[in-house]
Amino acid sequence: MRANVKPRINLENRTQLQEVIPIATPFVLFIDPVNTCNFQCTFCPTGDRDLIKSTGRWQGRLDFDLYKKVIDDLGEFEQPLKVLRLYKEGEPLLHTRFADMVRYAKESGHVQYIDTTTNGYLLTPDRIGPILDAGIDRINISVDGMSTEQFWTFTKTHVDFDKFVDNIRRLYERKGDCEICIKIPGDILSEADKKNFYATFGDIADRVFIENFAPCWPTFDIEDRLGIEITEGIYGNTIADIKVCPYTFYSMAVNTDGTVSLCFLDWARKLVIGDTRTNSVKEIWESEPLRQHRISHLQGRRKDDPTCAACGQLSHCLPDNIDAYAPGLLARFTGPLLA
């Protein structure tokens, strides 16, 4: 097998956040090209179309001119953005100008690295060339079944599994310097399926990994929807209670309507802190609402916010833990955010 058995997130050689907070330039910016999806996965809020409609969340594609404005805004920061993540809630390849998005960010000089996460259905031979040529650095592919039948069970979508695999094989053969990472939730697999996963994708990816489901979406009960009990973290890690969310100190997310959420898991738009249509990304990053939210976490008041209180990302998926450093970090936020 060519691929490394390794999760999509880099768990080693991570920046020690307690040493660099507050951060003048965000490390990660999520931009959601499309907040709708061609799949209706039972384990994802976007897949429940009635649920999304009940929230009043605007549905559609990010305007390309607004996208360019957001990328141009990044030029106001002292340093280039480390990672641009072109995904959040929907299937990003549904945006007809996805390759143009990659290219524009690459050519801007404001972004060091670009990745996306896709269900892989639209990685057809005619689509992969322009995306790779635009310079994308990594494509994470979420596989939602090891057969056509399993795909239907979990996504309510007919997927020709053999064709799906063949498309990924073509992508891998054409990938150049782009890293291909493939993951699947192990909760839906038998032991035979798990072996088949590695056998099927192990030679047509750079990384492969079998993850666990996690209750990461606030107020979305994945255990109830799937009829399972989650006993481990997403990477097999121990579940732990975390007081301070580290993500809010180094990342934020631009929604498809241009609003900005302080969290990439804000599917119901409960954590909107700004709007790129009226303010620059830098102004939002340095804003008082975001500073106050960070302070509340450092003061041990994360669960005062009902959305943050209901988040399972920290307990099940956390790559960084800054709880022990909260008192010292709080002192850094007693004055202006970027003194």
Side-chain angles (χ1 to χ4, degrees):
M1 184 170 71
R2 299 176 187 171
N4 293 313
V5 179
K6 188 176 182 180
R8 58 196 152 126
I9 190 169
N10 294 320
L11 298 175
E12 66 281 348
N13 301 320
R14 296 182 66 83
T15 298
Q16 298 300 303
L17 294 176
Q18 67 273 9
E19 297 176 4
V20 298
I21 292 172
I23 298 168
T25 305
F27 289 169
V28 179
L29 183 67
F30 290 81
I31 300 181
D32 202 11
V34 181
N35 67 357
T36 58
C37 190
N38 50 336
F39 282 11
Q40 297 182 65
C41 298
T42 53
F43 45 81
C44 175
T46 301
D48 187 335
R49 294 172 181 172
D50 289 335
L51 174 67
I52 295 302
K53 187 179 296 184
S54 73
T55 69
R57 189 178 92 185
W58 183 82
Q59 296 290 90
R61 302 176 182 180
L62 178 63
D63 178 78
F64 189 69
D65 286 335
L66 180 56
Y67 170 79
K68 291 195 294 182
K69 187 262 183 189
V70 171
I71 298 301
D72 293 344
D73 281 354
L74 298 178
E76 297 180 2
F77 288 107
E78 297 175 7
Q79 303 292 331
L81 184 76
K82 285 190 173 183
V83 182
L84 173 63
R85 302 224 142 105
L86 288 176
Y87 66 94
K88 182 175 180 275
E89 293 155 0
E91 169 48 50
L93 300 189
L94 285 173
H95 201 297
T96 56
R97 301 198 66 180
F98 182 81
D100 293 331
M101 288 180 159
V102 175
R103 181 175 291 102
Y104 190 84
K106 272 291 181 179
E107 293 178 351
S108 72
H110 306 324
V111 175
Q112 295 180 346
Y113 188 92
I114 302 174
D115 68 19
T116 193
T117 296
T118 171
N119 60 37
Y121 185 85
L122 296 174
L123 286 171
T124 54
D126 61 318
R127 295 291 300 276
I128 61 176
I131 294 171
L132 293 171
D133 291 342
I136 197 165
D137 295 287
R138 183 198 287 183
I139 299 175
N140 302 304
I141 303 170
S142 299
V143 176
D144 297 312
M146 286 304 300
S147 68
T148 297
E149 292 73 26
Q150 280 187 348
F151 263 94
W152 175 257
T153 297
F154 292 103
T155 74
K156 301 298 181 288
T157 306
H158 178 78
V159 176
D160 184 324
F161 184 71
D162 291 337
K163 185 177 179 180
F164 176 83
V165 174
D166 189 56
N167 284 342
I168 295 177
R169 181 178 295 106
R170 290 169 182 261
L171 169 67
Y172 185 74
E173 291 170 351
R174 172 77 167 73
K175 73 183 188 72
D177 293 330
C178 178
E179 185 178 27
I180 307 300
C181 303
I182 300 178
K183 55 91 171 177
I184 193 170
D187 310 70
I188 68 174
L189 303 179
S190 66
E191 289 305 312
D193 286 331
K194 292 177 182 179
K195 292 179 180 179
N196 190 28
F197 170 75
Y198 289 123
T200 300
F201 297 105
D203 285 330
I204 55 174
D206 298 297
R207 298 190 194 190
V208 290
F209 201 76
I210 298 176
E211 298 180 351
N212 297 315
F213 278 125
C216 55
W217 304 103
T219 69
F220 183 83
D221 193 336
I222 191 171
E223 290 180 307
D224 179 64
R225 286 172 175 265
L226 288 173
I228 62 172
E229 180 183 5
I230 297 173
T231 59
E232 292 184 313
I234 191 170
Y235 306 120
N237 50 299
T238 302
I239 298 171
D241 185 36
I242 302 296
K243 294 182 174 61
V244 182
C245 174
Y247 297 104
T248 188
F249 293 91
Y250 68 84
S251 69
M252 59 185 184
V254 179
N255 301 310
T256 49
D257 61 356
T259 58
V260 176
S261 292
L262 62 85
C263 177
F264 62 97
L265 294 168
D266 183 28
W267 66 273
R269 302 295 185 272
K270 301 295 186 181
L271 299 172
V272 172
I273 54 167
D275 194 327
T276 59
R277 293 169 293 189
T278 54
N279 293 96
S280 73
V281 174
K282 188 171 188 284
E283 287 171 339
I284 298 168
W285 180 250
E286 297 177 355
S287 67
E288 186 62 16
L290 186 48
R291 185 174 88 98
Q292 289 300 325
H293 189 86
R294 291 163 174 159
I295 288 173
S296 72
H297 279 234
L298 294 172
Q299 291 175 332
R301 296 187 293 110
R302 174 175 72 84
K303 294 184 179 180
D304 287 356
D305 186 295
T307 300
C308 292
C311 174
Q313 179 75 9
L314 302 188
S315 56
H316 290 68
C317 315
L318 192 70
D320 307 292
N321 187 341
I322 56 175
D323 280 6
Y325 306 97
L329 294 174
L330 181 60
R332 302 180 194 178
F333 285 83
T334 55
L337 177 58
L338 298 176

